[in-house]
Amino acid sequence: MNVLEKVMGFPRGLLLFVLIGICCSLDRCSASSNQEAELLVSSSEPTGRPIPSTLFGMFFEEINHAGTGGLWAELVRNRGFEAGGPTAPSYIEPWSIIGNRTYLDVGTDRSSLFERNKVALRMEVLCDSTGDNICPAGGVGVYNPGFWGMNIQQGKTYDVVFYVRSSGAINLTVSLTGSSGSSLASTIVLVSDSDGSKWSKVNFQLQAKDTDTNSRLQLTTSSKGVIWLDQVSVMPSDTYKGHGFRTDLMEMLLGLKPRFLRFPGGCFVEGAKLRNAFRWKETVGPWEERPGHFGDVWNYWTDDALGHYEFFQLAEDLGAIPVWVFNNGIAHDETVETPLIAPFVQEALDGIEFARGSASSQWGSLRAKMGHPEPFDLRYVAVGNEDCWKPDYRGKYMKFYQAIKNAYPDMQIISNCDGSSTKLDHPADLYDYHIYSSANGVFSDRHHFDQTSRSGPKAFVSEYAVWKEDAGLGSLLASLAEAAFLLGIEKNSDTVLMASYAPLFANKNDWNWKPDAIVFDSSRVYGTPSYWMQHFFVDSSGGTLLDSNLTSSSSSIVASAISYVSQEDKKSYIKIKVVNFGSETINLTISISGLDQNSIQSSGSFRTALTSTNVMDENSFSNPNKVVPIKTLLESAGKDMEVTLPPHSFNSFDLLKEQSSMIARRSDRSSVPRVDVENAVKSSAYLLEGA
């Protein structure tokens, strides 16, 4: 089952009807009124140019609750009660009280056994099972609703961990409770009077007997006394490879087959204040001992369970090369002067050693202790994020550059300064380029690197997207402009080494930045058109860019051609990608030189189209597949053919190249077969295949 069928369950028959309606119901398939264009492609790979194997990847930033309450599968929010900061009393939201002040008093103190996060929950139970003040039925205590509801699924198991101590014996009921108040799973934790006075770790599994996507965790008792709780965790047992990542969100990422992963930001790396920057040493070691921090740029607390180690593990699980962005002593509102930057430089060196050092090195040994004896494949580091314009960036940058190159001569160092138009005034292996603009701005920016010098450092286009009015929550229009931009990146891949969309994720309950590639809540997920657009480029990295020439009376059409070997069937293909950014239908004649007449196998060739009835159409939880790629067999495929491009559409034509022994057995066909969307759909329609 492919990703779309698995995630969306879209009926193929309905897809057939929708695509026919999109492309032909308005009589736009009539050739007489269409604009004309011609694409000439040379299939000779020696005249083509290798595309970097790293070209298309992804950028993860802790924004929109992408990790905390998203990709990181922890269900408890503010599990260490630290979200109010390291002092006490501290606020405990979203924890809430079960009962009232007649029965219990709840607050925080600094009594935790963990030195780096001393705040613990103190719950004094005033009622009892006997006597004058009897507890209500079901007991009193606290509950945690997680990140806008916990997704508890029937038959699944959940790993529960917490630390507890008390003034006496403990009789605590721990339950996963549905939105109606029904118990989905529960157990009773008993601790003797003699053992209760010291902190104890409690861990067990709960198996759900029913499903509720808006559940919560409850800890209740009917015994008088004082109970302290800390580091309360509930994790699904079925995380991806057991590494803590939410499985359905990982499947969405795997569908893009990223070649690199940039992390952990973004502005998240900088912080508005340096005290709130992402500092990697605070995010490694046992999760219970990590202090967490407030992300003051995106305004929420993260416990940093998704930390330095986990980001490298994520890259490895995705089969992607890690690209680490570290803080260089600069926050949005603060900066460390260059003479004082040495501690930050050492922190960067130590972070590299954590990833690449041997298991016997100081920081490599910690990585090994955490479960990864072998080094991670770290080749690229970025010195800060969007800091080039800030005071003395270059002075600080050079301190990092020299120290890293001395210790790791092969490390590729990325500067924040844009070298696409003006030569950099400092050494760098790559430079960072970001673009957020209107649809027309991003569409036009496909030419940005046409005149860039080929002799300088290469570009890392680490953040690109259409945003604001043209994008909405993720429109077809935005995805088409971005597709044209990526075609420009592909053609300039001799000077652009990497490119990634931003942001990657958004929890619908905390949408700080719009749009995003993937939208989710506690139980559901869908891809925006920009997410599905990126599927058209998964075969580009490591392929060969073919010489092509497009002539057209329309300025709204953009095209490219590559050859590639499919990761799925190991067969050779020519892929032609075409964006029609305009509102008119275009008849495109495609001619491929360097091939025999019957060298394209029509039975294995296909067309994929991304389009919709309205250019501002978006996907949503109620209609997650309104704008998704649709794949159809291309039975009339050949080295010469004519195709119809609907308005506002992105199309790819994957032509399977036959072996010479197969070519000899095939009969000749007409030299210019016509392939329009309607006939292609009538032959066969099915969804774009994922991982």
Side-chain angles (χ1 to χ4, degrees):
M1 180 179 288
N2 62 50
V3 169
L4 266 171
E5 289 173 327
K6 189 184 302 180
V7 175
M8 302 180 182
F10 205 56
R12 293 182 180 181
L14 182 56
L15 284 171
L16 179 63
F17 172 81
V18 169
L19 189 58
I20 292 174
I22 289 171
C23 299
C24 297
S25 64
L26 300 179
D27 198 31
R28 287 174 171 166
C29 294
S30 171
S32 60
S33 60
N34 297 347
Q35 297 189 45
E36 303 293 325
E38 182 179 27
L39 180 66
L40 304 178
V41 178
S42 171
S43 67
S44 174
E45 293 203 10
T47 65
R49 188 179 71 240
I51 298 172
S53 61
T54 57
L55 187 56
F56 295 116
M58 60 180 52
F59 163 47
F60 182 98
E61 178 168 12
E62 181 59 86
I63 181 176
N64 306 319
H65 272 88
T68 300
L71 184 61
W72 189 251
E74 174 64 62
L75 297 181
V76 178
R77 186 173 181 181
N78 191 13
R79 65 186 182 185
F81 309 101
E82 310 287 338
T87 60
S90 173
Y91 70 84
I92 63 172
E93 287 87 351
W95 291 91
S96 294
I97 296 172
I98 300 171
N100 59 48
R101 295 295 180 182
T102 304
Y103 302 117
L104 80 167
D105 183 60
V106 175
T108 59
D109 61 25
R110 288 180 51 80
S111 64
S112 173
L113 74 162
F114 301 112
E115 288 302 320
R116 293 201 295 173
N117 44 15
K118 293 299 294 183
V119 176
L121 183 77
R122 182 184 184 277
M123 182 171 67
E124 184 176 4
V125 181
L126 306 174
C127 60
D128 210 340
S129 57
T130 61
D132 296 334
N133 189 14
I134 297 177
C135 295
V140 296
V142 292
Y143 73 87
N144 188 295
F147 298 89
W148 303 281
M150 295 182 180
N151 178 28
I152 303 301
Q153 297 290 314
Q154 182 179 12
K156 286 193 174 184
T157 58
Y158 299 85
D159 299 320
V160 181
V161 179
F162 62 90
Y163 291 78
V164 64
R165 74 178 180 93
S166 72
S167 60
I170 298 173
N171 186 334
L172 193 66
T173 299
V174 182
S175 60
L176 296 172
T177 306
S179 53
S180 65
S182 62
S183 176
L184 306 180
S186 67
T187 193
I188 297 175
V189 175
L190 300 174
V191 180
S192 68
D193 194 350
S194 59
D195 292 335
S197 61
K198 58 181 182 295
W199 282 103
S200 299
K201 181 179 181 179
V202 178
N203 59 284
F204 52 88
Q205 285 190 330
L206 291 175
Q207 184 173 26
K209 59 186 179 183
D210 206 346
T211 293
D212 194 321
T213 62
N214 191 29
S215 301
R216 67 191 197 184
L217 171 71
Q218 291 189 172
L219 299 98
T220 57
T221 185
S222 296
S223 298
K224 187 175 182 179
V226 181
I227 297 175
W228 286 265
L229 295 166
D230 199 13
Q231 298 301 329
V232 184
S233 170
V234 178
M235 289 281 281
S237 300
D238 63 346
T239 63
Y240 187 76
K241 292 187 175 182
H243 291 158
F245 305 120
R246 183 172 145 179
T247 303
D248 59 340
L249 301 190
M250 277 295 291
E251 288 177 348
M252 296 291 282
L253 300 186
L254 290 164
L256 293 179
K257 299 180 175 64
R259 297 303 184 93
F260 67 84
L261 176 70
R262 177 183 182 239
F263 62 84
C267 295
F268 182 69
V269 170
E270 300 164 285
K273 302 292 185 183
L274 278 171
R275 66 177 177 271
N276 294 320
F278 182 86
R279 307 298 290 274
W280 76 266
K281 289 183 180 180
E282 301 296 305
T283 74
V284 293
W287 59 266
E288 302 97 327
E289 299 176 6
R290 303 180 191 183
H293 77 285
F294 180 65
D296 58 354
V297 176
W298 306 123
N299 294 312
Y300 60 88
W301 178 267
T302 170
D303 56 26
D304 287 328
L306 181 57
H308 196 55
Y309 175 90
E310 288 76 19
F311 280 119
F312 281 106
Q313 186 63 68
L314 174 61
E316 185 172 271
D317 287 352
L318 292 171
I321 297 170
V323 180
W324 178 37
V325 185
F326 58 75
N327 186 280
N328 63 335
I330 296 176
H332 284 191
D333 302 329
E334 297 174 336
T335 185
V336 175
E337 295 181 359
T338 300
L340 303 176
I341 202 64
F344 287 82
V345 173
Q346 188 59 52
E347 185 174 312
L349 292 172
D350 293 344
I352 296 172
E353 182 181 279
F354 179 91
R356 287 185 39 163
S358 70
S360 61
S361 65
Q362 178 184 356
W363 293 104
S365 63
L366 177 57
R367 180 200 67 239
K369 186 178 180 180
M370 293 179 69
H372 203 284
E374 295 301 316
F376 289 112
D377 187 20
L378 178 60
R379 309 179 199 176
Y380 302 90
V381 294
V383 184
N385 171 73
E386 296 182 347
D387 294 329
C388 183
W389 59 273
K390 295 175 182 175
D392 201 22
Y393 171 76
R394 288 163 179 80
K396 286 189 278 287
Y397 170 89
M398 286 306 303
K399 297 291 186 182
F400 287 97
Y401 183 89
Q402 291 163 357
I404 294 171
K405 283 294 186 181
N406 285 339
Y408 303 95
D410 63 323
M411 186 65 70
Q412 301 293 286
I413 300 177
I414 305 166
S415 168
N416 288 181
C417 300
D418 178 12
S420 59
S421 302
T422 304
K423 185 177 180 180
L424 295 181
D425 59 1
H426 54 278
D429 297 295
L430 295 96
Y431 60 86
D432 210 351
Y433 178 82
H434 296 179
I435 176 172
Y436 297 100
S437 185
S438 65
N440 284 335
V442 172
F443 181 80
S444 299
D445 209 50
R446 70 189 186 277
H447 294 300
H448 183 88
F449 296 96
D450 289 357
Q451 305 304 318
T452 296
S453 171
R454 267 54 184 169
S455 62
K458 294 185 182 298
F460 180 15
V461 183
S462 66
E463 300 182 32
Y464 72 84
V466 173
W467 69 322
K468 295 189 176 179
E469 291 81 5
D470 288 345
L473 298 179
S475 66
L476 171 64
L477 176 64
S479 70
L480 297 178
E482 292 155 1
F485 175 71
L486 292 192
L487 292 181
I489 294 296
E490 198 173 74
K491 288 185 176 181
N492 285 290
S493 58
D494 56 334
T495 194
V496 179
L497 189 68
M498 300 176 178
S500 51
Y501 179 91
L504 185 60
F505 279 120
N507 188 315
K508 82 169 185 79
N509 297 287
D510 186 33
W511 225 327
N512 277 306
W513 184 285
K514 305 171 184 177
D516 308 273
I518 301 167
V519 182
F520 65 91
D521 62 10
S522 68
S523 61
R524 300 172 294 176
V525 59
Y526 69 85
T528 62
S530 293
Y531 167 81
W532 293 113
M533 174 276 298
Q534 293 176 65
H535 281 73
F536 288 71
F537 293 88
V538 298
D539 299 307
S540 296
S541 300
T544 299
L545 180 70
L546 301 178
D547 283 344
S548 63
N549 182 52
L550 176 68
T551 57
S552 174
S553 58
S554 171
S555 60
S556 65
I557 182 173
V558 184
S560 78
I562 68 167
S563 63
Y564 71 95
V565 176
S566 170
Q567 298 179 45
E568 280 73 37
D569 61 19
K570 309 305 179 186
K571 295 179 180 179
S572 296
Y573 291 82
I574 291 175
K575 180 193 287 284
I576 296 168
K577 297 189 289 292
V578 191
V579 173
N580 181 2
F581 194 60
S583 58
E584 301 296 328
T585 299
I586 296 177
N587 292 333
L588 175 65
T589 300
I590 299 173
S591 299
I592 305 173
S593 64
L595 293 176
D596 293 333
Q597 181 60 39
N598 298 320
S599 57
I600 298 298
Q601 184 178 342
S602 60
S603 61
S605 298
F606 55 92
R607 172 180 186 159
T608 309
L610 182 68
T611 190
S612 191
T613 53
N614 189 306
V615 74
M616 294 306 296
D617 279 348
E618 303 172 347
N619 294 332
S620 63
F621 286 121
S622 61
N623 194 355
N625 30 21
K626 188 172 188 176
V627 187
V628 295
I630 298 176
K631 185 176 176 180
T632 60
L633 295 177
L634 199 55
E635 293 183 347
S636 300
K639 75 181 189 69
D640 299 297
M641 58 185 185
E642 292 183 359
V643 296
T644 302
L645 307 175
H648 300 131
S649 66
F650 185 25
N651 297 267
S652 72
F653 305 88
D654 290 73
L655 309 176
L656 176 60
K657 293 195 288 186
E658 292 198 15
Q659 302 297 323
S660 57
S661 59
M662 299 176 65
I663 296 172
R665 294 196 298 268
R666 294 181 63 88
S667 60
D668 290 339
R669 66 186 77 181
S670 58
S671 59
V672 188
R674 180 169 189 81
V675 183
D676 62 28
V677 173
E678 182 176 17
N679 290 331
V681 172
K682 286 180 177 178
S683 64
S684 176
Y686 53 105
L687 292 167
L688 175 65
E689 294 177 357

